[in-house]
Amino acid sequence: MHPLESVVTYKGSREFTRSELIGILAFKLRLMGVKEAKDLIERGLQSGLIEERDDHLVINEEILRSEIRSEDLFNAMVKHVARSLGWEMEDVLREIQSMRERYGDLDERVLVYLLGMDRGVDMSPFKDKLEV
């Protein structure tokens, strides 16, 4: 589950003060540390996932749903590669991290797709689902 989805479910609202959002992420739900929560908020503001309105942060539901679908696709691809190669999911994630160091900041869905292709895994079920 996306951390912001968890926060919205926890509070029952999409609107937060900055300190409230950090507090819920870091202390109430213990999903991440304070620094990671602040970084998530900054990335969210830059991407439009979070909007700032009158001293409040509002989570954009449409973009959040899109990110959740993207996260679900990534998880499905990782499971497919792991199952096909007889690996654990952690092994696939470690290999993706290694690829990120080589190729830079590519979308992680692209990295897992490339990993599968490189290792001879049939990635055709995901070809049309990638929206990069």
Side-chain angles (χ1 to χ4, degrees):
M1 179 179 274
H2 192 283
L4 292 178
E5 181 183 17
S6 298
V7 170
V8 170
T9 301
Y10 176 83
K11 184 177 179 190
S13 171
R14 298 179 304 115
E15 193 169 310
F16 306 86
T17 64
R18 184 177 293 264
S19 60
E20 177 184 32
L21 184 53
I22 293 168
I24 293 172
L25 285 165
F27 302 113
K28 303 240 181 189
L29 297 177
R30 298 178 186 207
L31 295 174
M32 58 189 65
V34 172
K35 182 180 180 336
E36 291 88 2
K38 289 179 179 179
D39 289 345
L40 176 70
I41 291 170
E42 289 310 311
R43 286 191 317 271
L45 287 168
Q46 290 172 356
S47 70
L49 174 59
I50 300 173
E51 300 168 8
E52 200 158 11
R53 295 186 201 151
D54 302 323
D55 296 331
H56 281 83
L57 302 175
V58 180
I59 297 172
N60 182 315
E61 283 183 297
E62 218 173 284
I63 295 175
L64 179 59
R65 279 193 297 273
S66 171
E67 290 216 358
I68 291 167
R69 282 191 303 275
S70 172
E71 197 173 277
D72 290 344
L73 176 60
F74 173 75
N75 289 330
M77 291 172 72
V78 168
K79 287 177 187 174
H80 176 73
V81 170
R83 196 172 35 249
S84 297
L85 296 174
W87 292 4
E88 296 293 323
M89 286 182 60
E90 292 79 20
D91 297 328
V92 175
L93 295 173
R94 204 173 4 261
E95 194 66 27
I96 292 168
Q97 183 59 37
S98 170
M99 290 179 72
R100 175 171 281 120
E101 291 168 6
R102 274 191 311 228
Y103 297 117
D105 196 24
L106 287 177
D107 185 289
E108 53 189 15
R109 293 168 298 158
V110 171
L111 290 171
V112 72
Y113 187 86
L114 292 173
L115 172 64
M117 295 293 293
D118 184 56
R119 300 295 175 137
V121 174
D122 176 18
M123 298 301 288
S124 60
F126 302 103
K127 183 178 180 184
D128 294 333
K129 295 179 183 175
L130 285 177
E131 302 169 2
V132 180

